Amino acid sequence: MQKTVTQGSPYSRALVWLVTYRCPLLCTHCHSESGRRPSRQLPPQKMQQLVDVLLSMRLRQVTFSGGEPLTVPGLTGIAERLSNAGVQTILYTSGWGMTEALARRLGEVFHEVHVSLDGATADVHDRIRGRPGSFVRTLAALELLNQHASSGMRLDIECVVVRSNHDQLERFCTEVAPRFPRLRHLVLGAVAPSGLATRETFASQEFLTDDEMHALDDPAVTARLQALAPPGVAVQTTSNFSLKTGRGCWYIQPDGDVQAMPSYEGAVGNLLSEPPELLWSRCQERRGDPFVRSMLDGARTVQEWVEAVRRIDLRFGSEEDQARIGARAAHPAPARASR
């Protein structure tokens, strides 16, 4: 029987669940390599069993990510179970496959919906997301959510900032954000080295410079972009360097495997078969591992961070993980599109 996590427990009470690796897109920076690997998605009964475990942990917040969570049958029912139990539910989605009925339903069971948009124009977004027509679909999804979101649901746009879209940040504020009156947050966060973004070819072509990364943490830069956005939209910019430590929330794969550190390879067990307190202890041990600490403490630049992630992934990833890493195709040099 799973041990209940109490209010005063040392565990994180926030959890990210990558509910599937199935995805209609092939994003160039995908941290989970979704759309390119087996979905590892649990059958409905097992998903409900995992929800039972999550409820026993007395979590404060559960974030659904992927892959594309909206490809998972019964997702809204799972979110409703958690929401009814007082858990804050958050969804990250590309918006692919959005319908009017689904948009209305999401507004009923999610506290926040974050829609991924990686370009202010179709050519940039579609190239980064790896699927022609994805920009049009994402904007259509945002429009539906804008129309049907309940008063209790917050609508956000999330942009992964890379070299290909770095010069479009102002256009997100002046051209994209004003289209959706119920939009509440526009988050512009630099790409972090994880998954496909750790490839040498990607890092050399698409990572921002150290100065550009740190500029996203500058309050003056945020204030300048905020001044361009509609009054009701809060603009957030970040270098995402805070993700380097790998600390924070629970981070689980579709089948319930617990990843020791968010954004780094290496599972420590499964929530369907082992108690949370044991798995959290293993996560803490991995984060304090001398090799991990030496790699991350010594990474002071973006490229040093990328190299540290590669070495950690190869050291702690399973044989399957290492085979997948070795089979990654090089990132092609993009033809720079007109702005």
Side-chain angles (χ1 to χ4, degrees):
M1 182 176 179
Q2 299 291 350
K3 179 179 179 181
T4 298
V5 178
T6 62
Q7 180 71 30
S9 82
Y11 314 137
S12 169
R13 298 189 68 213
L15 180 143
V16 177
W17 183 5
L18 281 63
V19 287
T20 185
Y21 289 139
R22 182 182 299 121
C23 189
L25 306 181
L26 295 171
C27 301
T28 58
H29 52 69
C30 186
H31 65 99
S32 63
E33 296 179 69
S34 293
R36 301 167 172 87
R37 60 191 295 195
S39 72
R40 291 180 64 178
Q41 185 179 313
L42 290 170
Q45 183 179 4
K46 286 290 186 181
M47 289 193 80
Q48 293 296 339
Q49 290 178 17
L50 185 50
V51 174
D52 291 340
V53 175
L54 302 187
L55 289 172
S56 78
M57 293 165 64
R58 299 191 183 277
L59 296 165
R60 174 182 56 83
Q61 179 186 98
V62 172
T63 298
F64 295 88
S65 185
E68 174 49 68
L70 295 184
T71 65
V72 178
L75 177 77
T76 57
I78 289 171
E80 186 171 41
R81 279 191 67 193
L82 292 164
S83 182
N84 287 344
V87 180
Q88 182 184 36
T89 53
I90 300 173
L91 173 69
Y92 278 77
T93 177
S94 68
W96 194 277
M98 187 70 67
T99 64
E100 187 169 359
L102 180 56
R104 187 180 297 110
R105 177 65 170 150
L106 296 181
E108 295 171 350
V109 301
F110 284 100
H111 296 86
E112 299 176 18
V113 174
H114 300 245
V115 179
S116 299
L117 186 69
D118 287 343
T121 56
D123 57 346
V124 173
H125 175 86
D126 289 1
R127 176 159 31 84
I128 293 172
R129 289 271 153 180
R131 184 78 183 265
S134 58
F135 181 77
V136 172
R137 282 179 176 253
T138 299
L139 292 187
L142 281 163
E143 182 59 40
L144 288 171
L145 290 165
N146 182 70
Q147 292 175 16
H148 298 289
S150 69
S151 59
M153 190 202 85
R154 195 181 90 189
L155 177 61
D156 294 357
I157 288 176
E158 297 264 346
C159 171
V160 176
V161 182
V162 292
R163 198 173 298 172
S164 290
N165 62 18
H166 184 244
D167 62 355
Q168 293 197 329
L169 301 190
E170 291 187 359
R171 297 181 68 173
F172 273 94
C173 300
T174 60
E175 299 176 19
V176 176
R179 299 179 61 165
F180 311 107
R182 299 192 71 171
L183 183 70
R184 290 296 169 261
H185 288 80
L186 172 61
V187 183
L188 307 169
V191 64
S194 179
L196 293 177
T198 64
R199 293 173 294 173
E200 291 184 18
T201 47
F202 182 91
S204 63
Q205 296 173 36
E206 289 289 11
F207 267 81
L208 305 182
T209 66
D210 288 296
D211 287 344
E212 290 169 338
M213 292 273 279
H214 288 299
L216 292 175
D217 292 328
D218 185 344
V221 171
T222 307
R224 178 176 62 80
L225 293 171
Q226 180 68 71
L228 298 173
V233 177
V235 177
Q236 300 174 22
T237 64
T238 176
S239 68
N240 277 322
F241 267 111
S242 61
L243 301 178
K244 186 180 75 169
T245 61
R247 300 183 185 276
C249 65
W250 293 91
Y251 196 81
I252 64 173
Q253 298 176 19
D255 56 6
D257 272 0
V258 176
Q259 210 156 309
M261 302 167 66
S263 305
Y264 300 84
E265 300 288 353
V268 295
N270 191 289
L271 278 172
L272 284 173
S273 58
E274 297 179 277
E277 65 271 17
L278 175 60
L279 297 176
W280 190 251
S281 175
R282 291 175 184 167
C283 289
Q284 298 298 88
E285 289 174 4
R286 176 68 54 79
R287 292 163 185 163
D289 182 272
F291 180 81
V292 171
R293 295 269 49 89
S294 67
M295 288 293 98
L296 297 182
D297 291 347
R300 295 179 174 82
T301 67
V302 175
Q303 293 301 325
E304 287 173 350
W305 184 16
V306 174
E307 181 58 30
V309 175
R310 291 194 198 111
R311 295 184 66 180
I312 292 171
D313 286 353
L314 290 172
R315 174 106 170 203
F316 295 104
S318 65
E319 290 185 6
E320 179 184 347
D321 294 330
Q322 295 186 33
R324 174 167 41 83
I325 292 170
R328 289 170 178 164
H331 178 66
R336 299 295 174 191
S338 62
R339 300 295 191 269

